[in-house]
Structure formats: structure tokens, C-alpha cells
Amino acid sequence: MDRLRAMELFLSISQTRNFSETARRFGISATGVSRMITEIEEELKVKLLLRSTRQVALTESGQEYARQLESILWRIKELQTNITAISAAPQGLLRVHSRVMFGLGVLPPLIAAFRKLYPEIHIELSLTEAAVDLRRNQVDIDFRISPPAEAGVKRRMLFQSERHLVAAPSYLERMPALVSPESILEHDCLAYQLPGDEYVWTFKQQDELSQIAFKPRHVSNNGIALLELARLGEGLVLMDDYTVHNDLLQGRLVRVLDGYRISNKGFDEGMYATILDTPIIPAKIRLFLDFVAEHVAGPELRFSAHGKPAGLDVAPLRT
């Protein structure tokens, strides 16, 4: 019995619940599929499938076997890809996911510059505000604003940052002075859309924490929209420092309550590149991570990287 092929057949059946569909996928007969599954069950001495004329169901053992097979077969595929990539020029599709502000404000000019160095690497960029499951969503790199908590991944901190509470000068001129965290309750606040109904900002001064729950004036799941609303004088917004650096320098926004560290989640803040923990990091992933880190790591670079014009040349990676 070809064990690897039998495992692939069983995983396909666990997903399709259909012998005929699996047979079409692999170009063999349904009888052949059935025979190989029977051989697996005989070898394992356990029933994996419950079959009837209308449907196929997994036993409890079959469900566990399928769950573990998914990870095993994925790692075999990655190993084959990685070994092949060692002796080949960097190429292929690189799937990148990012938080919206970093993905729009930083990555496009870097992707354009990276292409000049590695024209055979093609980048597929998707942007959402939530972290993704790298394996399930087939993502190579996920740029996150908090360190990953799940097992089986590696992280690389690109830079540390903090969040600034900011507003337009026109807004601050017409509103009460902000003298303490509780002062925000007299103000219009702009907030990221979060699960549930409660919105809270946490203020930290030395070792003292205070949490202020508020009712937002406007809510959005997109940081660009919130930033533009703040520029238009619609209220206070909490943003990562590198995203508002230029606005503060040019006077479009003003930082308030700057004696406090402020967060809507936690204070382990920054930008993290997250990849799967594999024995060999594919060249396309390693090269792009190194390139991005070279141009954003450290305060000076992270502040200058955000908002670069799309056509601006970026210096090539130093070797």
C-alpha cells in the first residue's frame, strides 16, 4: 500500500464525504479509493468511516486521524517545496496579510521596490484588522500589532511603538480642556469596531492604571477612516505613533494626555511579522521579511516609512 497516497485519499474523503468526488480528484476508481481506505483501517485496527448508500461519516477515531493528517501532509508538502527552493532562484507566489494601516501606509512602496530586486516573486496582499490562521488561510506572512499567541508559529518584532491620543486643532479649540483620563467622557471619541458593546481605553502613568469606558461618537473597522474623521475635527482617536507622526509634525493633529501611555488592548505594542514554524524558511519569505525589516526597524525608519509616495524609490537591501 502507498501509505502517503492512502493518507491523501482519506483526508480528501474527510473533506468531501464522497468517494466518487475523491476518485475524480485523484484520477482513480471509487473502488480503488474504497480498497485503500479499508487497508488503512485494517492496518490501524480501527474503524475510521461509517459508510451507507447515502452518506459517509467519520467515526471519532476518523475525526482525530483527519485532524492530524491535515498537519502532517501540509508539512510534507512544505518540506518538498522548501528543499526544491534551496537550489532555485527566489520565485513564486508570496501570500502576505497585514493590518490595514501598516498594509496601506507602509507595504505598497516596499513591495514595488522589492519587485525590482526579485522580479520572479509575486506578492498577494490582503488587508483586514484581524489576525489570520496562517495554515488554514494559506498565508506566508502576517503583519500583526500584537505578538502571536497560537502554537506552531514564529514571530519577528519589526519595531516597538506606542499609541497616541490625537485630535484636530479645530476640534480641541471648541471642546473642554483634557486634563485627566476622565476628561475624555466630555469629548467625542472615535473607536475601532470591537466585539460587544463596551469601549474602553486604558491609561497608564508609571505603575498606575485607569480604565475609562466611553460611548463612541463614531465607530469603524478601518483605521484610515478613523484617522480621516479625526483630521476633519470629529473627535479624539487612538492611533499607533508611526501612523500619525507626519500629521503631528505638520499640525494637522495634536497629541493630548501625552503624560500617559494609552491602549485599547495591551501595552506590548509594535509590529510583528508572524510566519509558520517550519524547519526551513522558504527563501521568498526570508528575503521579504529581511527587506521590510531593513526599511522599517527603529524609530527613525518606522516614522519615515509610513505614507511614502507609491512611486518613491526605496534603497536596495544592504548585503
Side-chain angles (χ1 to χ4, degrees), residues 94-154:
L94 180 65
R95 292 186 174 91
V96 178
H97 176 269
S98 174
R99 287 291 296 251
V100 173
M101 295 292 284
F102 188 77
L104 286 178
V106 175
L107 289 181
L110 295 182
I111 290 172
F114 184 76
R115 179 198 174 195
K116 296 176 182 178
L117 297 178
Y118 304 102
E120 298 305 315
I121 298 178
H122 304 271
I123 295 179
E124 179 182 289
L125 176 63
S126 58
L127 307 176
T128 67
E129 296 294 2
V132 296
D133 185 315
L134 293 168
R135 184 172 287 109
R136 188 170 299 277
N137 294 101
Q138 296 185 314
V139 169
D140 297 304
I141 305 171
D142 187 15
F143 291 103
R144 308 180 182 182
I145 61 172
S146 58
E150 68 268 35
V153 300
K154 294 179 180 178

Side-chain angles (χ1 to χ4, degrees), residues 296-315:
V296 304
E300 183 178 348
L301 286 177
R302 96 166 177 268
F303 289 145
S304 63
H306 190 268
K308 281 183 180 292
L312 187 65
D313 284 336
V314 179

